[in-house]
Amino acid sequence: MSRHQTRATILSSLLMGLGQIYNRQFVKGALLVLFEAVSVTYFILNLRYALWGIVTLGENPRTAANMQPGEYDHSIFILIQSLITLLYLVVFLIIYYINIRDARKIGRERDQGNKVNNFKQSVRYILDYKFAQAFLSIPAIGILFFTVMPIIFMVMIAFTNYSSPNHVPPGKLVDWVGFDTFKNLLALKSWSHTFYGVLTWTIIWAVLSTVTTYFGGLLVALLINQKGIRFKGFWRTILIIPYAIPQLISLLVMRNMFNGEFGPINQYLGYFGLGGLPWLTDPFWAKVTVIIVNMWVGIPVSMLLIMGVLTTIPRDMYEAAEVDGASGYQKFRIITLPMILFTTAPTLIAQFAGNINNFNMIFLLTGGDPVKGDYQYAGATDLLVTWLYKLTLNQNRYNMASAVGIIIFLIIASFSIYNYRRTKSFKEEDMIQ
Amino acid sequence: MSRRKIRNYIRLTTSYITLVILAIGAIYPALWIVFGSLRPGTSLYSKSLLPERLTLEHYYGLFNSRTILYGQWYMNTFKVAIFSMLLGVTLTLLTSYAVSRFRFKGRQNALSVILVLGMFPGFMSMIAIFLLLKEMQLLDTHLALILVYAAGAPLGLTLIAKGFFDTIPRSLDEAARIDGASNFRIFISIILPLSKPILTYLALLQFVGPWVDFIFARLILRSKDKWTVAVGMWDMVQANQNSNFTMFAAGAVLIAVPITILFMFMQRLLVDGLTSGASKG
């Protein structure tokens, strides 16, 4: 009974596309055979090298005798080439699996006496019923190579000793070291002091910057929304401007404005007979400056958001409260604030997670400075994320940077996933039909 | 009654004073940079906000300097921005249409993966991308920037676009499907025309990205004549800190003004698009 099904399955398992050819789908079968031929040739040429590479990370360092590229092993190139080969292998195996399943399914159709689609009909079928998967495969390839592959690569780096001065190719080889990098980061005094210091400031920064911009935005929104304030649209437009200017520009400008020697802010203070403040050069004041400038950039967003929420609060709630004799402050505390907090809670969590990773603000404004002597390559205002940048690009401590990156990722991902799972668009997305 | 009036009067006056102070605080840096770019000389500081004499020499200087190839940078950025916008928006539309309209196995997981990958610190993967581009011989080319910006677009933007597509009633596509329209046809002639607001939003975000990104561009673009504006501006601040502030200001105005206008325009569109239902129009 299931003669065709079994045969097609076995044939497809032996050689990709054979089952399809048996099923008289010649074009599809030929394409699959061709794909297998190309892939297998590639694997014969590369797979052994890839497995050797991923295990050893190279055995033959560059010396005076073998200066030409190709004569010595470059651990990092070996790692990335091996990774590409292995990823391709995974893609190949997935396609192989789909191929077998397809041959089996069509064999069954034939057993039941149904007509088999020709190539044109198959394409048509995919466009009608497998549209989403076909559509998604194009961006998926881009994401696989430019996002997933680099992430796997960097996670792997965290388990090697790829770092200056002793383990930077091509002069030296890189080796697997297991969890040593993480151990050093969390337990070795010189690193852990910096790590916990920077982590503490990152969290303080994320809390303060989120809270200040949120409540700042709330105050401004309430101020504009008061009864009797005229030209509401005008005030709103003016106060949105800081948000609309690209941060690259506004932060570089702020860096000039807060400059201790030449900056206009200190010059104006001097003009009024006040001494200037060491805005960007003193560890404490640099932190204050970062928070202030962040308020300048961030308050408009919260303001817009909260103004939007304010318009959705039903008027009759206030009217009922007025009948009961509530004062303005009571109305705010019992109606306005809970409504706003309830609606904006997900945004608040998202902003908090975003601030942990707020690279631009720190890098463009202070560059992480002022430098702290007892820190490993970090300054007083460095967040984990900017420290990671310095470790990578300035110090070539790639393994340490990767470990820091993994930790940042774990922190942010847990917040964001928790947040996303709670949102309406996830739970009730099929409500809109 | 009159006491209440007085209290009200005081409340409004203090509110207006606060608003004026906030408004000055909000626009002062912007005005300072605009007037700075028109001020003769190179100095960062002047006693008055308004310069005594206005000059356009810094703007001329940007385009006639041997060390500052501003015109070249501007064109480079424009090129990268246009192509990364076209490619990136197309990819984003494909993914978001697929995840919004179709129910298939592993869809929820695909969404979670998009969300999680989007949160990975970008430059952690920079070294790997750098090596990958080196393997592909694409270092110091604009194609590399375009590819990376466009490939990254679906991660950041899919969830936003999906949220919008979800609000377009399914009844519209179902009606079209009954009339025999293919998925492609539905996408092109129903979904796309209704998505103008989100399309504009995605396009502008994807266009503005290359103008303000300097981390990645700085890593990839090595020769000065290939730089983008952001890399050039960053270099101006780093290399000659404060020594030629007015020229920097002129360059900043030329980037910031168009983007700021685009941005304010975009916000209105977005709000309009998100608040008006598709069935009505």
Side-chain angles (χ1 to χ4, degrees):
Chain A
M1 183 63 189
S2 62
R3 197 164 52 99
H4 291 307
Q5 185 183 342
T6 320
R7 282 193 193 164
T9 313
I10 293 171
L11 283 170
S12 264
S13 319
L14 290 176
L15 176 67
M16 222 191 238
L18 213 57
Q20 279 76 6
I21 292 175
Y22 170 78
N23 282 334
R24 299 177 189 287
Q25 294 186 314
F26 296 111
V27 183
K28 192 161 81 184
L31 286 175
L32 285 171
V33 171
L34 190 70
F35 175 71
E36 169 144 10
V38 172
S39 306
V40 169
T41 321
Y42 176 79
F43 289 131
I44 288 173
L45 293 175
N46 291 302
L47 197 56
R48 240 179 73 87
Y49 177 74
L51 291 174
W52 165 82
I54 211 112
V55 173
T56 62
L57 293 179
E59 292 166 335
N60 183 15
R62 192 176 71 173
T63 56
N66 56 356
M67 291 299 278
Q68 293 302 316
E71 292 177 30
Y72 58 89
D73 292 339
H74 187 300
S75 300
I76 295 310
F77 287 163
I78 289 177
L79 179 61
I80 207 155
Q81 281 163 351
S82 308
L83 196 57
I84 292 173
T85 311
L86 293 179
L87 273 182
Y88 183 43
L89 184 67
V90 171
V91 173
F92 175 78
L93 290 177
I94 291 173
I95 293 175
Y96 212 118
Y97 171 72
I98 293 172
N99 140 71
I100 296 173
R101 224 180 44 175
D102 175 69
R104 183 183 169 86
K105 192 177 132 213
I106 291 169
R108 189 165 60 225
E109 296 281 317
R110 286 180 71 200
D111 289 331
Q112 289 164 356
N114 295 333
K115 216 174 150 299
V116 169
N117 281 345
N118 64 24
F119 188 63
K120 216 166 141 189
Q121 285 165 327
S122 301
V123 172
R124 180 83 220 164
Y125 173 81
I126 287 176
L127 285 184
D128 282 344
Y129 297 101
K130 296 283 174 193
F131 193 66
Q133 289 90 325
F135 240 39
L136 281 176
S137 60
I138 304 164
I141 292 171
I143 291 176
L144 186 69
F145 271 91
F146 288 106
T147 311
V148 177
M149 201 275 289
I151 288 174
I152 300 177
F153 174 77
M154 288 316 277
V155 170
M156 288 167 109
I157 289 295
F159 296 94
T160 68
N161 56 7
Y162 181 19
S163 63
S164 76
N166 293 325
H167 297 279
V168 177
K172 298 278 167 44
L173 291 172
V174 173
D175 289 308
W176 296 111
V177 295
F179 283 92
D180 283 4
T181 312
F182 290 92
K183 269 186 222 150
N184 289 345
L185 183 63
L186 301 176
L188 192 71
K189 187 86 178 66
S190 56
W191 284 102
S192 66
H193 174 64
T194 317
F195 175 71
Y196 292 119
V198 174
L199 178 68
T200 313
W201 162 238
T202 305
I203 289 170
I204 294 175
W205 147 262
V207 171
L208 278 183
S209 58
T210 311
V211 168
T212 50
T213 53
Y214 186 81
F215 286 99
L218 179 67
L219 280 181
V220 179
L222 291 174
L223 202 60
I224 297 179
N225 254 32
Q226 281 180 98
K227 231 184 266 171
I229 292 283
R230 300 228 257 160
F231 315 115
K232 290 190 162 81
F234 166 78
W235 295 115
R236 202 177 54 203
T237 313
I238 294 266
L239 291 171
I240 288 174
I241 285 177
Y243 177 51
I245 301 172
Q247 284 194 6
L248 172 76
I249 299 301
S250 56
L251 293 180
L252 288 179
V253 169
M254 287 290 190
R255 184 182 182 145
N256 279 316
M257 294 192 79
F258 280 98
N259 184 304
E261 272 175 78
F262 321 97
I265 294 196
N266 271 355
Q267 306 260 12
Y268 287 129
L269 287 177
Y271 203 58
F272 292 111
L274 297 164
L277 284 169
W279 293 107
L280 298 171
T281 44
D282 175 77
F284 174 75
W285 283 106
K287 287 177 181 173
V288 174
T289 314
V290 175
I291 298 274
I292 293 175
V293 174
N294 185 63
M295 285 172 77
W296 186 81
V297 175
I299 285 181
V301 192
S302 305
M303 178 191 81
L304 269 185
L305 181 76
I306 289 165
M307 281 181 138
V309 179
L310 284 177
T311 58
T312 65
I313 302 177
R315 294 249 25 108
D316 46 354
M317 286 177 81
Y318 290 110
E319 277 156 23
E322 268 161 39
V323 172
D324 288 345
S327 69
Y329 173 71
Q330 279 173 327
K331 279 189 284 182
F332 169 73
R333 201 173 57 95
I334 295 165
I335 304 172
T336 318
L337 193 61
M339 288 289 275
I340 292 176
L341 278 175
F342 177 74
T343 326
T344 54
T347 330
L348 210 56
I349 300 178
Q351 280 178 358
F352 177 77
N355 276 327
I356 290 181
N357 240 347
N358 201 337
F359 182 84
N360 272 358
M361 181 56 66
I362 302 296
F363 190 79
L364 292 173
L365 192 63
T366 66
D369 293 342
V371 175
K372 271 186 96 161
D374 55 342
Y375 272 10
Q376 294 272 36
Y377 318 115
T381 56
D382 262 320
L383 303 179
L384 284 175
V385 102
T386 52
W387 186 40
L388 158 68
Y389 179 86
K390 286 181 179 172
L391 285 175
T392 313
L393 286 193
N394 303 343
Q395 306 300 333
N396 300 338
R397 300 287 181 131
Y398 301 104
N399 58 346
M400 207 46 98
S402 296
V404 173
I406 291 171
I407 290 169
I408 300 175
F409 175 70
L410 291 178
I411 298 173
I412 294 177
S414 46
F415 272 110
S416 304
I417 292 171
Y418 167 75
N419 201 20
Y420 179 65
R421 297 235 161 217
R422 289 177 55 233
T423 54
K424 268 191 181 162
S425 72
F426 183 77
K427 281 188 196 154
E428 300 168 17
E429 60 177 354
D430 281 329
M431 298 294 279
I432 308 157
Q433 285 296 340
Chain B
M1 201 60 193
S2 74
R3 255 183 76 181
R4 198 171 157 184
K5 245 184 186 167
I6 291 169
R7 264 172 62 185
N8 199 25
Y9 184 75
I10 294 172
R11 176 176 67 89
L12 278 181
T13 316
T14 37
S15 299
Y16 277 122
I17 292 171
T18 323
L19 277 175
V20 169
I21 293 171
L22 287 174
I24 292 172
I27 55 174
Y28 187 83
L31 289 180
W32 187 66
I33 198 92
V34 171
F35 289 123
S37 74
L38 296 169
R39 202 166 54 215
T42 59
S43 137
L44 176 62
Y45 171 72
S46 87
K47 276 209 174 89
S48 61
L49 179 64
L50 274 171
E52 288 133 26
R53 190 166 65 79
L54 296 178
T55 169
L56 286 176
E57 62 177 300
H58 307 303
Y59 289 90
Y60 289 119
L62 279 179
F63 293 93
N64 295 317
S65 158
R66 275 163 183 277
T67 49
I68 299 166
L69 311 170
Y70 197 82
Q72 175 87 39
W73 298 339
Y74 215 85
M75 288 317 294
N76 289 344
T77 319
F78 199 73
K79 188 175 94 183
V80 173
I82 289 280
F83 284 107
S84 97
M85 177 185 90
L86 292 176
L87 201 59
V89 169
T90 313
L91 289 177
T92 308
L93 287 176
L94 295 183
T95 37
S96 46
Y97 175 57
V99 290
S100 159
R101 276 310 193 259
F102 297 91
R103 293 292 172 266
F104 51 89
K105 233 166 84 188
R107 178 176 156 282
Q108 274 308 358
N109 290 336
L111 281 176
S112 303
V113 168
I114 290 175
L115 178 82
V116 172
L117 289 181
M119 287 174 315
F120 222 76
F123 30 80
M124 238 191 91
S125 47
M126 269 196 335
I127 304 300
I129 293 181
F130 178 81
L131 293 171
L132 186 70
L133 292 170
K134 193 168 175 180
E135 286 281 286
M136 293 160 77
Q137 315 247 312
L138 285 175
L139 280 190
D140 206 20
T141 62
H142 293 140
L143 179 64
L145 281 188
I146 294 169
L147 279 181
V148 173
Y149 290 147
L155 282 182
L157 304 176
T158 294
L159 292 179
I160 301 173
K162 175 194 169 283
F164 184 85
F165 285 159
D166 283 347
T167 65
I168 301 179
R170 291 272 169 79
S171 51
L172 292 178
D173 343 358
E174 272 151 26
R177 198 156 285 146
I178 291 168
D179 291 345
S182 67
N183 287 320
F184 245 122
R185 188 63 203 261
I186 293 171
F187 180 65
I188 302 283
S189 40
I190 296 178
I191 307 283
L192 274 190
L194 286 175
S195 327
K196 262 183 213 150
I198 195 76
L199 203 62
T200 323
Y201 179 73
L202 296 180
L204 288 175
L205 276 192
Q206 195 57 18
F207 183 80
V208 168
W211 290 87
V212 294
D213 172 63
F214 69 101
I215 309 171
F216 194 70
R218 195 165 79 102
L219 183 74
I220 299 299
L221 303 172
R222 295 307 170 92
S223 38
K224 207 168 187 177
D225 59 325
K226 294 244 170 81
W227 279 0
T228 59
V229 179
V231 183
M233 294 301 287
W234 168 246
D235 185 67
M236 270 166 89
V237 172
Q238 283 300 92
N240 35 350
Q241 183 129 26
N242 314 312
S243 66
N244 198 349
F245 171 74
T246 42
M247 190 96 104
F248 168 80
V253 167
L254 286 185
I255 311 177
V257 165
I259 293 181
T260 308
I261 292 171
L262 279 178
F263 206 83
M264 305 207 75
F265 170 69
M266 165 169 87
Q267 283 202 310
R268 216 195 67 225
L269 257 175
L270 185 71
V271 173
D272 283 358
L274 293 177
T275 49
S276 61
S279 288
K280 276 182 266 165

